Amino acid sequence: MNQNADELYLTAEAEYKNSNFTEALRLYFEVLSEEPDCAPAHNSIGWIYRTQFDDYPKAERYYHMAIKANPTYPHSYWSLAYLLTDLERNEEVRQLMKRCQSIPSIDKSMIQQRLAVLSELEG
């Protein structure tokens, strides 16, 4: 990211932490207007749509855009995994975790933890 996009992103993160979700969302979109492939901004937008608006289709779309923008950015995979788990799309979670095995930036113990959660949910 360029310096301005970095600063906008950090400002958006601060707004999010202060529960100023509307302003955070506006700033994340401003980041994307400067840096369309900013995976952290896509991921954060998805997180807001999931947690604040319960708009799962939009959240999923932004998580996928984040993964496409930067396939090594780990947070997007976890965000997507939590969303898919919530939606009981367990086989998709398994496939995502399988994909994560080959990504160096992803903590492999987290993969096992997510698969254990699925096992618990399925009894």
Side-chain angles (χ1 to χ4, degrees):
M1 283 193 288
N2 66 46
Q3 184 176 353
N4 189 52
D6 285 345
E7 290 173 9
L8 284 170
Y9 179 78
L10 292 175
T11 302
E13 287 288 282
E15 292 294 340
Y16 180 86
K17 288 176 182 154
N18 289 320
S19 300
N20 297 325
F21 303 115
T22 303
E23 181 62 11
L25 201 55
R26 185 190 71 73
L27 289 166
Y28 290 132
F29 279 117
E30 193 172 335
V31 169
L32 291 180
S33 72
E34 289 194 23
E35 297 283 339
D37 288 332
C38 178
H42 283 294
N43 183 66
S44 294
I45 290 168
W47 190 259
I48 288 174
Y49 279 123
R50 176 178 168 250
T51 62
Q52 302 307 310
F53 301 115
D54 294 326
D55 189 335
Y56 299 115
K58 273 189 184 176
E60 184 174 359
R61 185 169 67 241
Y62 279 97
Y63 295 150
H64 282 291
M65 286 191 288
I67 290 169
K68 182 178 179 187
N70 184 349
T72 63
Y73 182 68
H75 304 289
S76 305
Y77 293 95
W78 300 127
S79 298
L80 181 57
Y82 297 139
L83 174 86
L84 295 173
T85 301
D86 288 348
L87 297 174
E88 299 179 7
R89 291 163 54 187
N90 298 351
E91 188 52 39
E92 289 176 69
V93 177
R94 282 189 186 81
Q95 291 303 313
L96 183 64
M97 293 300 97
K98 184 176 180 180
R99 180 178 174 190
C100 288
Q101 289 286 353
S102 65
I103 300 169
S105 60
I106 292 183
D107 179 350
K108 303 311 182 266
S109 67
M110 294 286 291
I111 295 169
Q112 296 306 315
Q113 187 270 344
R114 181 66 9 201
L115 292 172
V117 167
L118 288 182
S119 292
E120 287 288 324
L121 291 172
E122 294 173 338

